[in-house]
Amino acid sequence: MALADMQDHAAVTAGSRELLVFALGREEYGIDILKVQEIRGYDAVTRIAGAPDFIKGVVNLRGHIVPIVDLRLKFALGDVEYNAFTVVIILNIFERTVGVVVDGVSDVIQLADDAIRPAPELGATVDTTYILGLGTLAERMVIVVDIEKLMGCDEMALIDASVAA
């Protein structure tokens, strides 16, 4: 299904969310489909000196310079491999375009709000402020991410704090 079809299909229904589901390691994560501009294969990026490891660099996307964040490195998932399944999800967040590298994209799901449970308290060592909750759909568990909050956090510094507030 083409991304435009997915977004057309993503009519917001009261009490539910349409999520693009992607894989990081063995886990599935979901983000609001309406934040997704497109999905691309992973291409080489231009590194920026002094940037944190999880900021892979930038790409020229049809004349726009787009920062690329590897969520596998951001979430400290260990060794990452770039292969034919590695994709970049291009997002539009706060009127800015940002790409995130993931292991793969699987599908779009619709989750009822009551199917999303609060994230467990993991103590001060794990930042879960960007996790909206854990969604269950049949036998699947999807970690629902507030991608705007994640990209707008101080560590990322990709979105102007005054815009993200």
Side-chain angles (χ1 to χ4, degrees), residues 2 4 12 17 22 29 38-39 47 60 63-64 94 96 102 104 108 111 117 119 136 157 164:
V12 177
R17 300 168 188 258
F22 59 90
Y29 294 80
E38 64 185 88
I39 300 166
R47 295 279 307 163
N60 184 342
H64 297 279
F94 300 117
R96 178 140 190 215
V102 300
V108 175
L111 271 182
R117 304 286 184 247
T136 55

Side-chain angles (χ1 to χ4, degrees), residues 80-97:
V80 297
E81 179 181 335
Y82 298 91
N83 58 34
F85 300 106
T86 306
V87 296
V88 177
I89 303 170
I90 304 295
L91 305 165
N92 281 316
I93 302 170
F94 300 117
E95 300 180 7
R96 178 140 190 215
T97 305

